[in-house]
Amino acid sequence: MAVEEGDLVEPGGKVRLFVEQPIAAGTPVTLDDGQAHYLRHVMRARAGTAVQIFNGRDGEWRAVLALSSRRGAAATPQRQTRPQGASGDLWLCFAPVKKAASEFVAQKATELGVSELRPIVTRRTIVSRVNVDRMLANAIEAAEQSDRLDVPACQAPLPLMAMLGAWPSNRALIFCDEGGAPPMLEALKALPPGPAAILSGPEGGFDPEERAAIRALPQCVPVSLGPRILRADTAALAALAVFQAIRGA
Ligand code: SAM
């Protein structure tokens, strides 16, 4: 059934769209071709339909659709429905895994509150190319559906040693280390509040030299995720879930 004028588009959930432009009452925001196609042909929305838009800076707004030409669409903000508020500050540094698993990590990490996705290249990383645009597209989709008001920053891949060399002095590096470390729950309870990052390794794990370099960093907090060896994607997401449970990120 087509969505009627004035309705929030919601067969199965309201439509929230991430936009790049500033949002201000009465100033139309142009939607991109993918969004216009989705609204017209998937949601069968009509001119006058209400949607929600956000850009990571101006909060969330109720906006009304205008379908101007055969393909174009715009949304005119009416009123703010949520203010922006402060975002969490948690990076996920992860060795990229195969395409589907990396996309899954980008989506789920966004749902779990990560503020920055940082692919890292280690000696045993087997994926040679990371599609940062695709990672961002997955993060945007997850932010739209999870009611987030922002989208995590998606960085280009960085070699592990370069990342360690430039590590910020005030950011804890929570190192998922299956080779013997205190349980993550205990380690987090002892960690003072402040910026943090979770680091998880590739399918083959970190090699001994890499592991020693990570552990030598003064900001390193080694943690165990339990007695079993988790797959790389499982480990990253399990660590984020524990962090969120303790810190509410
Ligand atoms: N060392 C193994 C190997 O050589 O294949 C396993 C690596 S595991 C598949 C990938 C990454 O997940 C590890 O580098 C680590 O960061 C994380 N990980 C897996 N299980 C873990 C656990 N029980 N505790 C902490 N981290 C874990």
Side-chain angles (χ1 to χ4, degrees):
M1 195 174 77
V3 181
E4 297 300 330
E5 187 169 320
D7 287 347
L8 277 177
V9 185
E10 56 184 342
K14 61 188 180 251
V15 165
R16 298 181 77 244
L17 300 172
F18 175 75
V19 297
E20 299 280 357
Q21 292 155 257
I23 306 175
T27 306
V29 171
T30 306
L31 302 179
D32 67 31
D33 289 351
Q35 291 169 327
H37 176 87
Y38 171 71
L39 286 162
R40 281 171 186 274
H41 301 294
V42 180
M43 303 309 289
R44 296 170 58 211
R46 296 178 182 164
T49 297
V51 296
Q52 289 179 324
I53 58 174
F54 65 105
N55 63 5
R57 304 181 301 276
D58 298 318
E60 180 184 74
W61 288 69
R62 178 188 166 97
V64 174
L65 277 185
L67 304 174
S68 49
S69 62
R70 231 159 53 86
R71 288 174 44 197
T76 303
Q78 288 182 318
R79 62 183 163 81
Q80 196 186 50
T81 47
R82 280 195 292 162
Q84 187 63 40
S87 301
D89 187 359
L90 176 66
W91 297 353
L92 176 63
C93 306
F94 66 105
V97 279
K98 286 185 201 115
K99 184 169 164 272
S102 280
E103 293 194 0
F104 187 75
V105 168
Q107 289 165 16
K108 301 306 156 195
T110 302
E111 292 170 35
L112 288 163
V114 154
S115 59
E116 198 159 308
L117 287 160
R118 300 188 138 221
I120 51 150
V121 182
T122 70
R123 289 181 185 152
R124 293 178 183 161
T125 300
I126 51 173
V127 172
S128 54
R129 195 177 158 268
V130 176
N131 186 335
V132 179
D133 290 341
R134 190 77 209 124
M135 189 163 72
L136 182 60
N138 276 280
I140 289 174
E141 203 179 305
E144 288 173 341
Q145 73 78 37
S146 64
D147 264 8
R148 267 184 81 143
L149 290 179
D150 61 357
V151 171
C154 293
Q155 303 295 349
L158 195 65
L160 173 71
M161 293 303 179
M163 182 193 84
L164 295 178
W167 196 255
S169 59
N170 66 340
R171 186 173 293 273
L173 182 61
I174 300 165
F175 170 37
C176 299
D177 185 2
E178 75 280 17
M184 183 166 177
L185 198 68
E186 280 171 25
L188 280 193
K189 281 181 181 165
L191 185 70
I198 286 169
L199 170 63
S200 73
E203 285 93 334
F206 293 104
D207 82 6
E209 211 179 308
E210 289 175 327
R211 189 163 169 264
I214 298 165
R215 278 184 159 256
L217 200 74
Q219 301 91 320
C220 176
V221 181
V223 300
S224 164
L225 295 167
R228 288 166 294 277
I229 300 296
L230 307 179
R231 282 178 52 150
D233 45 342
T234 313
L237 299 177
L240 288 173
V242 173
F243 188 94
Q244 182 171 268
I246 298 290
R247 293 289 174 98

